[in-house]
Amino acid sequence: MPAPKKGPRIGGSGTHQKHILANLAKSLIEHERITTTEAKARQLRPFVEPLITKAKKGDLHARRQVAATLELRNTPFYSGRDMLYKLFEEIAPRYAARPGGYTRIVKLGPRRGDNAPMAIIELVEPLTVAQEATREAEAATKRAVKETEAKAPVVEDEAPAAEAETEADEATDEAAESETTES
């Protein structure tokens, strides 16, 4: 969990900020999409992404670390257990092939009451097998093009050589004309 920043925070103290982020993370895990202020969304992203990475490990130690970070020991037993189940058994397997970047922040307009900038933070949809295959094929073709460009011999422009030939031809034509006019 990131340390509370110095200076102005969401909430009053560093402890209050941790509680706010834990509650936002619980809501994000439960609903997979929440609307909040842009500042809270920006602070929530580095809080929740390591939790998903730990959930991808799936071992008991990771489960206990996530439960401690989300403060699930203070909630009723069934809701904390359900939250961990959803994170470890439903959300984490979706991102097994993804190395990071599990969330997306979409900016909305200002809030009506106090003009605060609003945003939606959501879990991104994992790539389908077809999308992954397409992405891998595009990457392979880009690599192949770069390799062929690197191996291709450097060809000098033929235009300067052609210009030199035409200049030489013009010079010989002029010389031939001057000889014919002199005789």
Side-chain angles (χ1 to χ4, degrees), residues 96-119:
R98 193 179 191 105
Y102 313 114
T103 57
R104 171 188 308 132
I105 297 175
V106 180
K107 294 181 182 180
L108 300 175
R111 187 163 46 198
R112 187 169 185 170
D114 59 354
N115 209 25
M118 298 297 288

Side-chain angles (χ1 to χ4, degrees), residues 22 28 43 84:
L28 182 63
Q43 288 189 11
L84 285 177

Side-chain angles (χ1 to χ4, degrees), residues 24-147:
L24 284 171
K26 286 186 237 181
S27 296
L28 182 63
I29 291 168
E30 183 179 353
H31 302 290
E32 298 185 14
R33 178 183 203 170
I34 57 172
T35 303
T36 184
T37 62
E38 194 176 322
K40 287 180 183 176
R42 286 178 187 264
Q43 288 189 11
L44 180 61
R45 175 182 262 173
F47 184 86
V48 79
E49 288 199 3
L51 297 179
I52 296 172
T53 303
K54 287 178 186 174
K56 284 171 42 175
K57 291 180 184 175
D59 58 351
L60 180 63
H61 181 61
R63 191 175 290 262
R64 286 181 175 163
Q65 284 180 325
V66 170
T69 303
L70 292 178
E71 302 165 357
L72 295 177
R73 296 170 196 255
N74 299 334
T75 59
F77 179 70
Y78 62 90
S79 66
R81 185 175 65 188
D82 292 344
M83 188 81 55
L84 285 177
Y85 178 83
K86 183 167 184 178
L87 180 61
F88 278 78
E89 305 300 326
E90 294 176 14
I91 294 174
R94 274 194 250 161
Y95 301 113
R98 193 179 191 105
Y102 313 114
T103 57
R104 171 188 308 132
I105 297 175
V106 180
K107 294 181 182 180
L108 300 175
R111 187 163 46 198
R112 187 169 185 170
D114 59 354
N115 209 25
M118 298 297 288
I120 294 174
I121 183 166
E122 61 187 353
L123 298 176
V124 296
E125 293 299 318
L127 298 176
T128 62
V129 175
Q131 289 172 334
E132 285 183 31
T134 305
R135 185 176 279 184
E136 289 175 7
E138 289 173 357
T141 54
K142 285 181 182 179
R143 281 193 303 266
V145 167
K146 285 182 181 179
E147 289 175 2

